[in-house]
Amino acid sequence: KAGVTQTPRYLIKTRGQQVTLSCSPISGHRSVSWYQQTPGQGLQFLFEYFSETQRNKGNFPGRFSGRQFSNSRSEMNVSTLELGDSALYLCASSFTGTDAAGYTFGSGTRLTVV
Amino acid sequence: AQSVTQLGSHVSVSEGALVLLRCNYSSSVPPYLFWYVQYPNQGLQLLLKYTSAATLVKGINGFEAEFKKSETSFHLTKPSAHMSDAAEYFCALAGTALIFGKGTTLSVSS
């Protein structure tokens, strides 16, 4: 079966711009979570969507937002980009988001802010 | 509060040697624990998981981990390292989201 698909793989943006990243979960998975990975802070949880509703949110500023569509595909948006937003953004999908089956991750979107 | 601590940010072994990556957790409820591996410029791949069944968990690529409640540990081992095992390894605890350790980079020399 197809895995978790994230697009685009690489992105270069200028400070102050906004960006939208996309994640298509595994078919049948209803939970999509987003994580930011940086060398300094490691893997940090951004937010989780389940059935089009944000269910959990990490400790990130309001510039980071997301949404989920009826087909479970999810997008995250970062407005007013800062240099510190440069990171690998990972999307993970699971059936319920709280099950023990674990999460399947996509290959990530590498965002570079210049 | 739930947390995960990985001891040793970098571990180096020779090919054929034992691999031991350490993970300790803190949780007030019975934990679900995971080990993930990440290769350069890739996402995270699930190696194995503990979900309160057997305490010795076998995963892919010859890895296994033992859950020890008394020591709040979930160390990852592999009897014989291969060059292809060189990667970054993350221990994670399931809460409202996955809580990750800082990661351990495994280097394997020939």
Side-chain angles (χ1 to χ4, degrees), chain B residues 37-57:
Chain B
V37 61
Q38 185 178 35
Y39 299 98
N41 294 317
Q42 294 294 319
L44 303 176
Q45 179 183 8
L46 181 65
L47 276 177
L48 49 79
K49 61 189 178 190
Y50 168 76
T51 59
S52 74
T55 56
L56 183 61
V57 181

Side-chain angles (χ1 to χ4, degrees), chain A residues 4 8 12 15 18 26-27 42 52 55 57-58 61 66 70 74-75 77-78 85-87 95 99 102 105 107:
Chain A
V4 179
I12 300 175
R15 192 170 48 182
Q18 74 164 11
I26 290 173
S27 178
E52 302 179 62
R55 188 160 66 175
K57 187 176 189 302
S70 59
S74 177
E75 290 181 346
N77 183 275
V78 187
D85 297 333
S86 294
F95 283 109
D99 60 347
F105 282 81
S107 295

Side-chain angles (χ1 to χ4, degrees), chain A residues 12-102:
Chain A
I12 300 175
K13 289 288 188 179
T14 303
R15 192 170 48 182
Q17 288 186 313
Q18 74 164 11
V19 66
T20 299
L21 312 182
S22 178
C23 172
S24 294
I26 290 173
S27 178
H29 284 193
R30 296 167 64 188
S31 167
V32 174
S33 300
W34 289 88
Y35 291 82
Q36 180 195 65
Q37 184 177 24
T38 59
Q41 299 299 315
L43 283 151
Q44 293 185 288
F45 171 68
L46 282 154
F47 30 66
E48 183 219 0
Y49 286 85
F50 181 80
S51 293
E52 302 179 62
T53 300
Q54 187 181 88
R55 188 160 66 175
N56 292 300
K57 187 176 189 302
N59 189 27
F60 277 82
R63 299 186 298 107
F64 292 82
S65 63
R67 59 178 175 170
Q68 186 179 34
F69 302 95
S70 59
N71 62 357
S72 292
R73 190 177 71 85
S74 177
E75 290 181 346
M76 69 163 280
N77 183 275
V78 187
S79 63
T80 319
L81 284 165
E82 300 178 358
L83 296 179
D85 297 333
S86 294
L88 180 66
Y89 290 89
L90 293 166
C91 163
S93 80
S94 73
F95 283 109
T96 66
T98 58
D99 60 347

Side-chain angles (χ1 to χ4, degrees), chain B residues 74-106:
Chain B
F74 189 56
H75 301 333
L76 181 71
T77 60
K78 182 174 181 177
S80 177
H82 192 271
M83 297 291 285
S84 61
D85 295 327
E88 190 159 19
Y89 293 79
F90 293 92
C91 181
L93 172 68
T96 53
L98 283 177
I99 300 164
F100 287 92
K102 291 293 187 183
T104 298
T105 300
L106 175 66

